[in-house]
């Protein structure tokens, strides 16, 4: 097979997958109707949410599951036949096809015990070990929850009020997207059909009409939804041959969400309360996996000082699509912590192994860490296009190298002994309210 024939076949097969997966939207297929939270909280969280037993069966999928499944099967056979069973890019393409087959099984099993089984196949479990470590995700989540609940959080807390309405948030984000991507590349718009405050898909950010935001929320949306989720989508669309890199199956979720959280951290956009919410998600998944029902998970967070709204939100995210009595739940929310740790470890390892040039490939499209060495090789061959949109710290790796170099060295210190030393000094401090700099709104 000539190189030009191979590339044309790769492009055609990739484009077929992009087309087939288009109507498969997991979150749309498992979302709850508005009003459930109000009725649940009106009963003081003592009764399971009022979802009828046949709720999911009455929610028609936006695609013909049997037909799409058959077309995916035919596509996988064509990938093997046209690219060869041992072709490396073909194997990534096949793995992505397999993921969409499991997604179809997941959606057909909504509201049943099998839903949780397929969710674990796609996203993993809170009881999984962190790659290369003995700790489980639940253990890490508990540790992070503790850190982000320490008294120091209250010392840092300041009244970042949610004074920005949806229309103003759209205006602010639209300007920031233009600055980062250029004019007319990304759309920011009001939405009435999303449950979360905001969401990103393709080249568009949706803002919930009913939501209000703080200045920090806008910063988080800029880097999380814009730089990462939309940035990797647009970079994937720049691919001349591997066009499937523009779409994300569940196999890439952890790296996507983890990178988004990492960018929040590197740009100092995040804050302890948000980090706590992300950590809580791992704990919520584990509790529900172990059999706690919706009310029990909800009360677990209430008893730990989480607000009624946030307790409901973290619980609802886990139980959508599954069974309200626990055991079979949506495990996607482990991806934020899991992906953050794996991305950090990947970057540190690339630096220590002397191959920092591979790091920008994290943004080449929708990828997994295991894909990156091969994709980098194909980038050097000219088959894969390099990422067009890169966050500043990934364009010039010098600062990132130093940051991770210092963090790698510091992680080897015995923090318990260091803290004992400084605690002797801190005990002498008087109790005082920390000095807070004025916000942008206050300066205006």
């Amino acid at each position: 097979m000539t190189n030009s024939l191979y590339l044309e076949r790769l492009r055609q097969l990739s484009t077929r997958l992009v087309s087939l997966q288009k109507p498969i939207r997991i979150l749309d297929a498992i979302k709850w109707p508005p009003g459930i939270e109000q009725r649940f909280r009106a009963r003081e969280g003592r009764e399971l949410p009022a979802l009828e037993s046949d709720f999911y069966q009455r929610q028609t999928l936006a695609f013909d599951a049997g037909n799409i499944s058959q077309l995916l099967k035919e596509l996988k056979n064509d990938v093997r036949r046209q690219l060869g069973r041992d072709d490396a890019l073909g194997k990534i393409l096949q793995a992505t096809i397999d993921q969409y087959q499991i997604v179809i099984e997941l959606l057909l099993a909504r509201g049943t015990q099998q839903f949780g089984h397929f969710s674990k196949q796609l996203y993993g479990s809170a009881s999984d070990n962190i790659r290369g470590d003995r700790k489980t995700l639940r253990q890490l989540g508990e540790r992070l929850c503790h850190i982000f609940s320490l008294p120091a959080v209250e010392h840092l807390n300041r009244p970042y009020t949610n004074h920005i309405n949806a229309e103003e948030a759209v205006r602010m984000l639209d300007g920031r997207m233009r600055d980062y991507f250029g004019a007319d590349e990304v759309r920011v718009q009001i939405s009435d059909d999303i449950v979360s405050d905001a969401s990103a898909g393709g080249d568009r950010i949706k803002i919930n009409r009913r939501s209000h935001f703080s200045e920090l929320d806008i910063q988080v949306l800029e880097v999380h939804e814009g730089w990462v989720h939309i940035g990797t989508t647009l970079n994937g669309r720049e691919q001349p041959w591997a066009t499937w890199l523009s779409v994300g199956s569940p196999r890439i979720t952890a790296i996507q969400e983890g990178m988004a959280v990492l960018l929040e951290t590197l740009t100092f956009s995040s804050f302890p309360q948000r980090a706590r919410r992300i950590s809580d998600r791992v704990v919520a998944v584990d509790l529900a996996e172990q059999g706690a029902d919706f009310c029990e998970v909800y009360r677990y967070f209430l008893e730990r000082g989480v607000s009624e709204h946030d307790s409901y939100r973290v619980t609802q995210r886990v139980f959508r699509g599954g069974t309200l009595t626990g055991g079979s739940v949506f495990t996607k929310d482990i991806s934020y912590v899991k992906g953050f740790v794996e991305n950090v470890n990947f970057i540190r390892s690339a630096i220590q192994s002397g191959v920092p040039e591979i790091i920008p490939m994290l943004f080449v499209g929708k990828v997994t860490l295991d894909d990156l060495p091969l994709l980098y090789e194909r980038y050097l061959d000219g088959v894969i296009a390099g990422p067009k949109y890169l966050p500043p710290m990934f364009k010039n790796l010098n600062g990132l190298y130093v940051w991770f170099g210092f963090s790698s060295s510091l992680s080897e210190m015995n923090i318990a002994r260091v803290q004992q030393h400084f605690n002797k000094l801190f005990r002498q401090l008087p109790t005082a309210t920390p000095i807070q700099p004025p916000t942008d709104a206050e300066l205006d």
Side-chain angles (χ1 to χ4, degrees):
M1 189 185 342
T2 64
N3 188 55
S4 60
L5 177 59
Y6 169 83
L7 293 176
E8 182 57 29
R9 287 182 176 179
L10 178 65
R11 185 188 64 79
Q12 291 179 359
L13 294 165
S14 299
T15 302
R16 281 171 61 186
L17 177 58
V18 172
S19 177
L20 285 175
Q21 64 79 45
K22 193 171 184 179
I24 304 175
R25 293 291 175 262
I26 299 175
L27 299 186
D28 284 347
I30 63 175
K31 68 182 179 182
W32 291 4
I36 297 293
E37 178 181 358
Q38 289 75 11
R39 292 194 291 273
F40 175 78
R41 289 172 58 183
R43 296 180 175 89
E44 298 182 343
R46 300 184 184 279
E47 298 177 18
L48 295 178
L51 284 180
E52 299 86 349
S53 59
D54 63 344
F55 169 75
Y56 293 111
Q57 285 65 44
R58 290 188 284 106
Q59 307 304 309
T60 305
L61 294 176
F63 59 95
D64 184 327
N67 181 54
I68 295 294
S69 182
Q70 179 59 35
L71 292 174
L72 287 170
K73 182 178 179 181
E74 293 172 4
L75 175 58
K76 183 176 180 179
N77 289 334
D78 287 344
V79 171
R80 289 174 175 172
R81 182 171 54 84
Q82 295 184 30
L83 300 184
R85 289 181 176 272
D86 297 326
D87 180 74
L89 289 176
K91 287 182 177 179
I92 297 177
L93 192 50
Q94 290 179 62
T96 305
I97 294 169
D98 288 341
Q99 284 270 296
Y100 283 116
Q101 292 282 27
I102 300 174
V103 167
I104 292 174
E105 296 294 335
L106 172 88
L107 297 182
L108 292 175
R110 291 170 298 170
T112 73
Q113 288 297 321
Q114 281 296 97
F115 179 88
H117 166 74
F118 291 120
S119 181
K120 290 179 184 178
Q121 281 191 312
L122 292 169
Y123 301 105
S125 166
S127 61
D128 291 344
N129 291 98
I130 298 167
R131 187 188 303 205
D133 195 272
R134 294 181 180 179
K135 295 185 185 69
T136 66
L137 287 166
R138 168 63 191 264
Q139 289 173 322
L140 180 58
E142 289 276 18
R143 175 61 180 160
L144 291 172
C145 286
H146 169 72
I147 291 172
F148 296 126
S149 302
L150 289 172
V153 171
E154 292 304 317
H155 286 244
L156 295 172
N157 196 24
R158 61 165 302 141
Y160 284 100
T161 59
N162 292 344
H163 63 280
I164 302 171
N165 62 27
E167 289 78 9
E168 179 64 9
V170 167
R171 187 192 66 77
M172 294 173 68
L173 279 173
D174 182 67
R176 297 185 186 206
M177 293 302 98
R178 288 173 177 270
D179 290 343
Y180 187 82
F181 293 104
D184 302 322
E185 288 291 334
V186 177
R187 292 171 293 167
V188 185
Q189 61 189 56
I190 297 285
S191 175
D192 294 310
D193 64 353
I194 59 174
V195 177
S196 58
D197 291 331
S199 68
D203 56 4
R204 179 172 56 180
I205 296 178
K206 292 182 178 181
I207 300 296
N208 191 322
R209 185 185 301 277
R210 299 174 295 276
S211 296
H212 286 75
F213 305 87
S214 69
E215 296 169 13
L216 284 178
D217 291 331
I218 299 299
Q219 292 178 35
V220 167
L221 290 173
E222 176 186 3
V223 300
H224 187 116
E225 307 293 355
W227 293 11
V228 177
H229 293 328
I230 289 180
T232 51
T233 295
L234 297 183
N235 285 337
R237 290 179 182 178
E238 292 287 322
Q239 296 302 323
W241 317 109
T243 59
W244 86 85
L245 290 175
S246 64
V247 298
S249 69
R251 70 191 292 269
I252 61 88
T253 301
I255 301 311
Q256 276 284 297
E257 300 297 358
M259 182 56 66
V261 175
L262 177 57
L263 260 293
E264 293 178 29
T265 306
L266 291 175
T267 57
F268 297 100
S269 301
S270 195
F271 47 98
Q273 292 84 353
R274 172 165 173 77
R276 166 70 190 271
R277 289 200 297 270
I278 291 171
S279 306
D280 282 343
R281 294 173 186 176
V282 179
V283 177
V285 169
D286 188 67
L287 290 170
E289 282 187 297
Q290 300 307 318
D293 68 20
F294 191 101
C295 295
E296 290 169 332
V297 175
Y298 172 76
R299 287 197 298 271
Y300 175 90
F301 290 106
L302 271 185
E303 291 167 0
R304 281 153 183 79
V306 180
S307 70
E308 289 185 7
H309 175 71
D310 287 346
S311 293
Y312 175 86
R313 183 64 62 86
V314 70
T315 306
Q316 187 264 343
R317 291 175 63 98
V318 173
F319 280 87
R320 53 187 169 168
T323 58
L324 295 176
T325 52
S328 175
V329 293
F330 192 43
T331 59
K332 172 182 176 288
D333 273 357
I334 66 173
S335 302
Y336 298 83
V337 170
K338 176 182 179 181
F340 177 87
V341 173
E342 291 189 347
N343 279 317
V344 168
N345 287 340
F346 176 85
I347 293 171
R348 289 171 58 181
S349 297
I351 289 172
Q352 292 182 8
S353 297
V355 287
E357 59 272 16
I358 198 175
I359 295 173
M361 297 299 289
L362 286 162
F363 291 88
V364 77
K366 308 298 186 182
V367 299
T368 72
L369 296 181
D370 291 335
D371 297 340
L372 291 186
L374 171 67
L375 293 176
Y376 183 65
E377 288 182 29
R378 295 298 178 267
Y379 160 72
L380 296 177
D381 294 339
V383 176
I384 299 295
K388 178 179 179 181
Y389 301 108
L390 272 174
M393 68 287 295
F394 286 85
K395 286 182 179 178
N396 184 336
L397 293 174
N398 285 292
L400 202 68
Y401 188 104
V402 172
W403 196 93
F404 278 97
F406 274 123
S407 69
S408 297
S409 299
L410 291 173
S411 67
E412 298 176 3
M413 293 184 176
N414 187 324
I415 186 60
R417 291 183 180 178
V418 172
Q419 190 169 353
Q420 284 179 359
H421 168 77
F422 283 107
N423 276 345
K424 296 176 182 178
L425 299 177
F426 296 153
R427 289 194 199 101
Q428 303 172 22
L429 288 175
T431 302
T433 302
I435 298 173
Q436 298 284 4
T439 65
D440 292 341
E442 290 167 343
L443 288 173
D444 292 340

